[in-house]
Amino acid sequence: MANRLARSQSPYLRQHAENPVDWWEWSPEALAEAERRDLPILLSVGYAACHWCHVMAHESFEDAATAAYMNEHFVNIKVDREERPDIDAVYMRATQAMTGQGGWPMTCILTPTGEPFFAGTYFPPEPRGGHPAFSQVLQALADAWENRREEVLSSAGQVLDFLSEADDFGGEPLSAEDLDRAAVTLVKQGDPEAGGFGDAPKFPPSMVLEFLLRQHARTGDEEVWSIVCRTFEAMARGGMYDQLSGGFARYSVDRFWRVPHFEKMLYDNALLLRAYLHWARALRAHEGSEEQLALAERICHETADFMLTELRTEQGGFASALDADSDGHEGTYYVWNPHQLMKALGTSDAAWAVQLLSVTGGGTFERGFSTLQLLQDPDDPQRWERVRARLLEVRAERTRPARDDKVVAAWNGYAVTALAECGTLLDRPDLIDAAAEAATLLWDLHVEPGFVRTSLGGVRSEHAAVLEDHGAVIEAFIAVLGATDDPRWLDRARRVADRALAHFRAEDGGWYDTADDTEALVVRPRDVSDNANPSGSSALAHGLLALAAVTGDHDVRAAAVDCVESAAALATGAPRFAGWTLAAAEALHDGPAEIAVVGEVAGPMHRAALGLTAPGAVVVATREGSPVPLFEGRQAIGGHATAYVCRDFVCALPVTDPADLAAGNQVRTGTRGD
């Protein structure tokens, strides 16, 4: 018999609907049940594409004896971290404090009022590698609650005191020297051979790369340029990237990007699409190699196509993720052995493909299988296209990984921004159309009435949007304004910004991740670190900077400054965890540039403007007569599309030749005037 999760909107929670565990969703009713029964809460947090979440579910939550013990001694609550990042943030901080590490599945034991007193991640069904069995952990915790209650409550109080302690969210403005020191630190942490930062596992550092691209545009630092190019190329050529159909997996388990953790997340691909687009334009400006430029643009086209083909929902939004597993194993859909290639391609093409794609007899992954790498460009591009098409045909017959169709506002915001920019710069109107459609879904279904974080199948959830959602959607709406000449998006961006400014500010000038009119948890979360995706404060900084650039609103700009300054200590002390904040700081240092293109939309001048490397430049194109404040008094000179490069609404001389704009003279050194 299905449990309560069968009624959930979350695909992840519904994956557990047939468990014998008597699961609850997080709710006042669940906490009240724990109070009524005088039992601790077992909180299990994960997400649909999480491999080890599936493993623990199969090993423990589907086991009748384990479930019976859980039901007798705990009130069990299952949370989708993508729906409720606020709950995840509070208890992940507790987990990291108590264990020194974090991850998913996350298991926390709470008092009936929500204070945590025990935490961990994956627990095996039997003792393994020095870790106790899950059943042993449960028995010890139940005994402690029953027989050592005062000790448990004291421990919970200490953890709550720690969670309630305010971090240092103050800071001074980040100077150019601060940004340069952050870049030096990152270069020192860079892997000179394999690209990326640090050792395995390696996560795609999209936000750090965006900062370094902007820092290089300002300084011309060649060490920065070297690590940026090495990282972009290594990620694109390794097994973390799907060499057949595009799209990036979550991370690489090894230093050289060979073997991924195979789930594909929307936020990774959206942020990486934009980063590769900006690398491509930097290669043009930097006169980089033609081979690297071709690689960067190919990755942009393929990643955008992957998003449209594999993640787009019927309603026009983008699904959260593709699972890592199929047929009971991780990566089965994506990996190959020489025999499979021989069967699919025949002797000659298979022998060629084995060498080209680094498929070995022993395998580079598990069970004799290899991921596909493309470490060098094919010596015969036409042959590669034929081989690639055939392998896609064969792969299509395999069991496809499951898809989490949940639409997350922030992640769709990143996708909209990336597709709008990519569609304009690479002359792909289909991408602009997709961006506008997804933005419309966000406005119609998520923002109004009352901003919610998630939806599924065109149905809104009841989960309130967090700060990251507000920031990402503001920036997305400005990106669609810039790409479509539709002034409605400016009003919509303002509406979202007004709510963010009214409900998320902290007393010390920083920002909370949850609004003041939403459900209160044991502590109100606030975290300025950029991890898998941008923090709420850094996402808001980017959104507000874009809005201020087209409106001239100094209060909005000041709020963006507050966002950056609230993370200044982290940005200077641990820049790997503040890439998006540092990228916003580079934009602030440069203005950012406001570029109004009058007289055309998605034409040569518009593409030239988007091709500029000015850090964080905001580009809007329109025909004459636009009500957008940035265009007030701007005209197309002599009937030609005309670009105005401005900062704080003070503009350089107008440009009517895209080549002159691309030369960059008007971006930094042009005469300023009216």
Side-chain angles (χ1 to χ4, degrees):
M1 182 180 296
N3 58 45
R4 294 178 190 85
L5 300 187
R7 299 189 295 272
S8 173
Q9 191 185 68
S10 163
Y12 171 64
L13 298 189
R14 290 205 306 270
Q15 288 174 355
H16 296 78
E18 300 297 327
N19 292 170
V21 177
D22 186 23
W23 290 115
W24 293 74
E25 291 194 63
W26 181 277
S27 63
E29 293 77 14
L31 273 64
E33 178 71 0
E35 289 269 20
R36 185 186 70 80
R37 296 178 61 193
D38 190 31
L39 292 178
I41 293 168
L42 187 151
L43 174 66
S44 177
V45 182
Y47 59 101
C50 168
H51 171 70
W52 287 103
C53 298
H54 299 323
V55 172
M56 190 167 177
H58 294 323
E59 291 175 341
S60 296
F61 302 148
E62 294 174 7
D63 178 71
T66 302
Y69 193 88
M70 292 172 64
N71 295 338
E72 180 179 355
H73 295 281
F74 301 89
V75 170
N76 304 290
I77 299 178
K78 176 64 77 170
V79 166
D80 182 341
R81 67 172 294 264
E82 296 170 356
E83 280 191 334
R84 294 300 303 267
D86 52 340
I87 294 172
D88 179 65
V90 168
Y91 294 107
M92 181 58 72
R93 189 175 181 215
T95 300
Q96 291 169 334
M98 285 189 269
T99 69
Q101 61 186 9
W104 300 276
M106 176 171 64
T107 306
C108 291
I109 309 300
L110 322 177
T111 69
T113 52
E115 294 97 346
F117 61 88
F118 176 85
T121 52
Y122 165 77
F123 291 100
E126 303 293 339
R128 186 187 306 162
H131 297 285
F134 187 48
S135 59
Q136 294 173 319
V137 172
L138 295 177
Q139 290 164 14
L141 290 166
D143 178 73
W145 181 259
E146 184 66 28
N147 299 308
R148 300 191 303 279
R149 182 76 61 92
E150 289 188 8
E151 180 184 332
V152 167
L153 295 178
S154 175
S155 175
Q158 292 173 10
V159 175
L160 184 60
D161 288 343
F162 169 79
L163 296 177
S164 301
E165 291 177 1
D167 289 334
D168 181 11
F169 292 103
E172 298 295 323
L174 290 172
S175 66
E177 291 75 19
D178 291 328
L179 300 175
D180 293 342
R181 281 193 291 270
V184 169
T185 299
L186 290 166
V187 168
K188 289 179 179 178
Q189 295 173 346
D191 185 329
E193 183 180 6
F197 303 92
D199 208 338
K202 279 186 174 173
F203 291 81
S206 52
M207 292 165 276
V208 166
L209 290 171
E210 181 65 34
F211 160 59
L212 292 178
L213 282 170
R214 295 182 181 194
Q215 195 270 352
H216 175 262
R218 176 172 56 83
T219 67
D221 188 314
E222 288 302 318
E223 286 188 299
V224 167
W225 181 246
S226 177
I227 191 66
V228 163
C229 291
R230 187 178 304 114
T231 302
F232 274 124
E233 182 159 6
M235 290 193 301
R237 293 193 179 281
M240 193 182 73
Y241 183 72
D242 187 340
Q243 303 296 343
L244 296 185
S245 66
F248 290 88
R250 175 73 278 265
Y251 64 86
S252 173
V253 302
D254 65 284
R255 175 186 164 204
F256 290 94
W257 312 100
R258 292 187 186 114
V259 178
H261 204 32
F262 284 89
E263 68 261 33
K264 291 181 177 179
M265 311 301 296
L266 173 61
Y267 57 78
D268 279 325
N269 284 281
L271 292 168
L272 285 166
L273 171 58
R274 195 176 180 196
Y276 272 91
L277 183 70
H278 293 173
W279 182 42
R281 73 184 185 187
L283 284 163
R284 290 189 181 277
H286 195 262
E287 297 182 353
S289 76
E290 289 297 320
E291 183 178 349
Q292 285 184 325
L293 178 59
L295 173 66
E297 292 189 347
R298 174 173 67 80
I299 297 301
C300 289
H301 284 292
E302 291 177 359
T303 302
D305 288 340
F306 158 75
M307 290 167 60
L308 266 60
T309 302
E310 300 290 338
L311 295 179
R312 203 173 188 187
T313 68
E314 291 182 6
Q315 293 74 33
F318 292 91
S320 297
L322 297 181
D323 207 337
D325 301 5
S326 55
D327 292 333
H329 294 283
E330 184 182 5
T332 301
Y333 185 71
Y334 300 102
V335 295
W336 300 78
N337 61 32
H339 173 73
Q340 290 172 324
L341 292 179
M342 182 76 70
K343 185 177 179 181
L345 300 172
T347 303
S348 178
D349 279 348
W352 183 77
V354 160
Q355 295 298 316
L356 177 67
L357 299 171
S358 301
V359 176
T360 69
T364 58
F365 178 48
E366 299 172 349
R367 309 186 313 277
F369 291 102
S370 295
T371 61
L372 301 186
Q373 302 175 73
L374 196 62
L375 302 180
Q376 301 293 331
D377 287 340
D379 56 12
D380 186 340
Q382 291 183 333
R383 188 180 192 183
W384 165 236
E385 285 306 311
R386 185 178 71 249
V387 165
R388 177 171 172 263
R390 176 57 186 155
L391 293 180
L392 280 170
E393 287 180 5
V394 173
R395 194 173 78 172
E397 298 173 0
R398 298 176 176 177
T399 303
R400 297 177 65 83
R403 188 174 86 168
D404 183 341
D405 283 342
K406 179 174 72 268
V407 171
V408 177
W411 306 355
N412 273 256
Y414 302 137
V416 167
T417 301
L419 291 170
E421 287 190 16
C422 194
T424 302
L425 192 54
L426 298 184
D427 197 15
R428 289 278 304 270
D430 61 318
L431 302 186
I432 298 174
D433 291 343
E437 186 175 5
T440 299
L441 178 73
L442 288 173
W443 174 256
D444 289 344
L445 190 62
H446 285 246
V447 177
E448 292 292 335
F451 196 173
V452 297
R453 175 167 173 82
T454 61
S455 67
L456 183 73
V459 179
R460 290 160 52 90
S461 74
E462 297 178 353
H463 306 300
V466 297
L467 187 63
E468 182 197 6
D469 298 311
H470 287 71
V473 168
I474 293 166
E475 187 174 26
F477 287 176
I478 297 299
V480 177
L481 167 72
T484 64
D485 187 28
D486 185 345
R488 292 179 299 174
W489 294 107
L490 176 57
D491 177 64
R492 292 169 177 178
R494 280 174 164 153
R495 296 270 293 275
V496 177
D498 286 346
R499 171 163 173 75
L501 298 176
H503 292 285
F504 289 87
R505 280 188 184 273
E507 300 79 5
D508 57 12
W511 303 84
Y512 289 106
D513 290 325
T514 55
D516 57 13
D517 58 353
T518 56
E519 177 188 1
L521 303 175
V522 290
V523 294
R524 191 175 176 190
R526 56 188 304 193
D527 184 2
V528 297
S529 58
D530 299 318
N531 289 302
N533 42 291
S535 68
S537 59
S538 65
L540 186 64
H542 284 258
L544 294 180
L545 280 175
L547 178 60
V550 297
T551 62
D553 190 319
H554 291 285
D555 290 338
V556 169
R557 179 184 169 85
V561 172
D562 289 344
C563 290
V564 172
E565 291 181 0
S566 72
L570 180 67
T572 54
R576 278 178 65 185
F577 300 97
W580 212 232
T581 291
L582 288 163
E586 283 286 359
L588 276 168
H589 185 75
D590 193 59
E594 310 142 355
I595 305 176
V597 177
V598 184
E600 70 170 26
V601 178
M605 184 65 82
H606 193 180
R607 287 192 288 276
L610 271 175
L612 297 174
T613 59
V618 178
V619 179
V620 179
T622 188
R623 297 164 185 84
E624 289 184 297
S626 169
V628 176
L630 179 58
F631 290 93
E632 186 176 349
R634 313 298 177 208
Q635 297 178 335
I637 297 174
H640 300 289
T642 304
Y644 295 82
V645 179
C646 317
R647 284 178 177 79
D648 199 18
F649 279 57
V650 177
C651 299
L653 294 174
V655 178
T656 57
D657 187 339
D660 290 340
L661 184 64
N665 295 330
Q666 297 292 327
V667 177
R668 294 190 175 278
T669 61
T671 303
R672 298 165 78 91
D674 294 331

